[in-house]
Amino acid sequence: DGGITQSPKYLFRKEGQNVTLSCEQNLNHDAMYWYRQDPGQGLRLIYYSQIVNDFQKGDIAEGYSVSREKKESFPLTVTSAQKNPTAFYLCASTEGSGNNQPQHFGDGTRLSIL
Amino acid sequence: QKEVEQNSGPLSVPEGAIASLNCTYSDRGSQSFFWYRQYSGKSPELIMSIYSNGDKEDGRFTAQLNKASQYVSLLIRDSQPSDSATYLCAVIGYSSASKIIFGSGTRLSIRP
């Protein structure tokens, strides 16, 4: 079955610690995205990538980093510089470069501060 | 003005009735419009895409697009308790470089 797999489902971060959220897709999609969702709020774009070895900052990139070394993988690192990381993190992908195509989401990772 | 606006709700509709969800957008050049359903604690799920003016029907769901008035709506006929969720409107604008802009969502509650 094709889809987007995010892991882990739940993650806890200690003060000063970097953590990495995994996102893997087997849909052969070119474009991948990371969003943050806070309780009762909409989705805010963190980073996106339309092609391997290239990515762009979204609206709230500060305190986060990404890499796109393989087409199927787009991990997100939440660094210690992100002072309020508690949120629901969603990875998405689209066919082609994303023009006019809907995004499909993984099941999400819920990150909390210890 | 937000790029994509939705009434946050909650919108309460009796079971079996029609639920009407509305969304307005600011980028007049927008070409692609989507509705997602998000259950509490879950990720968004695509339920409708619409690209042309008019209505598009899929089962109990109808999406309506009016580009001149810059609004898109979602009608849910014969509403069921399982339709209770937050519905996100999403738009790809001409000026957004193919990024999807999401509204904050409307919370829909179907009462028995």
Side-chain angles (χ1 to χ4, degrees):
Chain A
D1 264 320
I4 302 169
T5 301
Q6 290 187 244
S7 62
K9 193 170 183 177
Y10 299 95
L11 187 58
F12 298 92
R13 195 193 87 170
K14 295 180 182 178
E15 290 287 340
Q17 186 183 40
N18 293 352
V19 292
T20 297
L21 285 59
S22 170
C23 179
E24 303 276 333
Q25 54 99 358
N26 60 4
L27 300 167
N28 201 34
H29 285 175
D30 289 303
M32 298 185 74
Y33 307 79
W34 274 106
Y35 291 92
R36 169 179 173 143
Q37 188 175 38
D38 293 280
Q41 303 296 314
L43 303 176
R44 291 188 289 169
L45 182 64
I46 305 172
Y47 268 100
Y48 66 104
S49 168
Q50 294 180 302
I51 196 168
V52 174
N53 292 323
D54 189 43
F55 48 82
Q56 284 78 42
K57 292 183 179 179
D59 302 315
I60 56 164
E62 188 173 344
Y64 300 97
S65 66
V66 293
S67 63
R68 187 87 187 277
E69 295 176 4
K70 297 185 297 182
K71 186 176 183 177
E72 57 270 23
S73 178
F74 191 40
L76 173 74
T77 297
V78 184
T79 74
S80 57
Q82 173 50 247
K83 297 305 180 188
N84 184 22
T86 297
F88 188 39
Y89 289 87
L90 289 159
C91 178
S93 70
T94 60
E95 283 187 73
S97 61
N99 287 339
N100 295 327
Q101 296 300 313
Q103 293 180 2
H104 300 273
F105 289 86
D107 289 340
T109 292
R110 204 165 291 278
L111 176 61
S112 302
I113 291 284
L114 274 180
Chain B
Q1 182 191 8
K2 287 184 182 177
E3 292 179 88
V4 179
E5 293 207 55
Q6 298 180 253
N7 188 319
S8 62
L11 174 65
S12 181
V13 172
E15 186 174 353
I18 295 175
S20 177
L21 304 161
N22 298 313
C23 171
T24 59
Y25 59 93
S26 60
D27 186 342
R28 186 169 287 279
S30 298
Q31 296 295 323
S32 306
F33 307 86
F34 312 102
W35 282 99
Y36 288 82
R37 177 177 61 200
Q38 187 175 24
Y39 292 115
S40 181
K42 302 295 185 183
S43 63
E45 172 193 10
L46 178 70
I47 53 174
M48 290 289 283
S49 303
I50 187 166
Y51 302 93
S52 305
N53 274 331
D55 295 0
K56 179 182 178 183
E57 188 174 316
D58 184 1
R60 294 187 298 112
F61 298 100
T62 299
Q64 299 176 317
L65 175 60
N66 184 325
K67 290 185 179 179
S69 301
Q70 293 175 244
Y71 83 77
V72 55
S73 61
L74 180 70
L75 302 178
I76 306 175
R77 288 183 300 281
D78 188 24
S79 296
Q80 303 297 311
S82 60
D83 295 325
S84 296
T86 296
Y87 289 80
L88 304 174
C89 172
V91 177
I92 296 181
Y94 179 80
S95 60
S96 66
S98 81
K99 289 185 296 180
I100 286 184
I101 309 298
F102 287 87
S104 298
T106 297
R107 193 153 55 93
L108 174 66
S109 176
I110 306 300
R111 57 182 191 270

